[in-house]
Amino acid sequence: LMGRIVVDVMLNSEILDPQGQAVARALPRLGLDHFRDVRQGKRFLLTVDGPVTDSDLAQARTAAERLLSNPVIENFEVRVEDA
């Protein structure tokens, strides 16, 4: 049995997101015009042996703070992925 932790990293809302803006401009050309805004981000899947523990989550948060995100311009969310 392996547990998985998801770390989603997104630019802070006040930071310009050129890739998200490019996607937002392209969607209507594809007939997809229901979306008001698009923000682009990163997703990391961290796998551990056995069920995810509080210690695993704490280490994932540390990894997100120190390596997976830039805290000056990005925020992140850490969660356990449902099996």
Side-chain angles (χ1 to χ4, degrees), residues 5 14 27 30-31 43 47 51-52 57-59 70 83:
I5 300 170
E14 63 272 5
L27 287 171
L30 299 173
R43 179 180 172 159
T47 303
V52 175
L57 284 172
Q59 286 193 27
N70 177 345

Side-chain angles (χ1 to χ4, degrees), residues 2-3 6-7 9 16 19 27 29-30 35 37 45 48 50-51 60 66 73-74 77 79 82-83:
M2 292 191 283
V6 177
V7 179
V9 179
L16 183 66
Q19 189 170 359
L27 287 171
R29 292 194 299 268
L30 299 173
F35 306 105
D37 190 31
L45 297 175
V48 297
R66 295 185 182 174
I73 62 169
E74 295 174 318
E77 179 182 313
R79 62 184 170 79
D82 294 331

Side-chain angles (χ1 to χ4, degrees), residues 8-79:
D8 289 313
V9 179
M10 297 292 294
L11 286 170
N12 291 334
S13 60
E14 63 272 5
I15 302 297
L16 183 66
D17 181 359
Q19 189 170 359
Q21 289 178 339
V23 171
R25 286 190 303 272
L27 287 171
R29 292 194 299 268
L30 299 173
L32 306 169
D33 57 3
H34 291 111
F35 306 105
R36 189 172 64 85
D37 190 31
V38 177
R39 301 289 290 177
Q40 177 264 327
K42 302 177 279 189
R43 179 180 172 159
F44 298 90
L45 297 175
L46 308 173
T47 303
V48 297
D49 289 325
V52 175
T53 66
D54 289 342
S55 176
D56 296 329
L57 284 172
Q59 286 193 27
R61 283 187 196 92
T62 298
E65 291 168 354
R66 295 185 182 174
L67 178 66
L68 305 179
S69 73
N70 177 345
V72 174
I73 62 169
E74 295 174 318
N75 56 54
F76 63 86
E77 179 182 313
V78 177
R79 62 184 170 79

